[in-house]
């Protein structure tokens, strides 16, 4: 590991010194929001790094289930409400993919025995998809892997973890942008 990498890791680690602003962007520079924006950018960068770079679990889930992460994502969405099957069109919209591609994904999940596709009871032109027992188990396995906290989080002292819990709960409840 280079000394620059070690410095970045130390600067972004819990209990380490605060990360320095990006080169050429001191407090009050950047987006015009002042020091708070710079701190928010640092926090966001550290959160993204923690989740997306140091603890990326999508490959682990894909390997464990033997399918692409997009298929896992579709299965998890279908399994989320087992009592309420999805219309294929609704699922495509939620997953932000086109319908022909979703049909291929659902075909594969169906061949694996993870979902079942049936005609909609009120609209014969539409199909609905629901998770099978095997699909619910696979989705639960994926959720368990994705829900495992990273070692850095588990290593935090209880007081720090309580503060972070309060802060992230507040962030998660903040109204989403449309």
């Amino acid at each position: 590991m280079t000394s620059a990498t070690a410095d970045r890791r130390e600067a972004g680690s819990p209990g380490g010194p605060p990360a320095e602003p990006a080169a050429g962007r001191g407090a009050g520079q950047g987006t015009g929001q002042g020091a708070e924006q710079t701190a928010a950018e640092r926090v966001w960068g550290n959160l993204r790094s923690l989740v997306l770079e140091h603890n990326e679990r999508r490959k682990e889930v894909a390997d464990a289930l033997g399918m692409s992460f997009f298929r896992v994502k579709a299965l998890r969405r279908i399994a989320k409400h087992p009592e309420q099957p999805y219309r294929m069109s609704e699922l495509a919209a939620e997953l932000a993919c086109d319908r022909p591609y979703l049909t291929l994904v659902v075909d594969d999940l169906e061949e694996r025995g993870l979902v079942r596709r049936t005609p909609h009871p009120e609209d014969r032109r539409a199909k609905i998809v629901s998770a099978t027992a095997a699909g619910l188990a696979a989705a639960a396995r994926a959720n368990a892997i994705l829900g495992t906290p990273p070692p850095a989080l588990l290593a935090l002292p209880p007081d720090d973890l309580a503060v972070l819990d309060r802060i992230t709960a507040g962030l998660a409840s903040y109204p989403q942008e449309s």
Side-chain angles (χ1 to χ4, degrees):
M1 172 169 29
T2 68
S3 63
T5 303
D7 292 344
R8 277 195 305 275
R9 284 190 178 169
E10 183 179 341
S13 66
E20 293 296 320
R25 290 179 55 180
Q29 293 180 342
T31 60
Q33 295 291 322
E36 295 82 22
Q37 184 64 39
T38 302
E41 288 172 354
R42 273 195 318 271
V43 168
W44 180 240
N46 286 335
L47 289 172
R48 286 181 29 235
S49 176
L50 176 68
V51 174
L52 299 176
E53 295 170 17
H54 301 293
N55 297 286
E56 170 56 81
R57 298 274 162 82
R58 291 185 296 187
K59 182 175 180 349
E60 185 179 346
V61 170
D63 290 347
L65 297 180
M67 66 179 99
S68 72
F69 187 74
F70 188 81
R71 282 169 167 69
V72 173
K73 182 178 176 180
L75 177 61
R76 289 177 62 232
R77 186 67 53 100
I78 294 163
K80 189 173 184 177
H81 301 289
E83 72 288 345
Q84 187 176 15
Y86 267 95
R87 279 178 174 250
M88 292 285 288
S89 58
E90 293 168 344
L91 186 59
E94 282 192 27
L95 294 172
C97 72
D98 59 38
R99 290 182 196 177
Y101 180 66
L102 181 63
T103 298
L104 294 174
V105 168
V106 171
D107 284 348
D108 182 61
L109 294 174
E110 195 170 34
E111 287 173 16
R112 294 169 185 260
L114 302 174
V115 300
R116 123 182 9 96
R117 190 176 13 204
T118 57
H120 191 283
E122 298 163 6
D123 181 356
R124 63 184 177 88
R125 298 170 298 158
K127 298 280 188 194
I128 55 174
V129 62
S130 57
T132 63
L136 293 172
R141 185 171 179 208
N143 289 336
I145 293 168
L146 292 168
T148 301
L153 194 58
L154 294 171
L156 286 177
D159 290 346
D160 288 352
L161 196 55
V163 169
L164 190 55
D165 184 28
R166 180 184 55 79
I167 291 168
T168 55
L171 290 171
S173 68
Y174 197 80
Q176 297 293 315
E177 294 179 16
S178 302

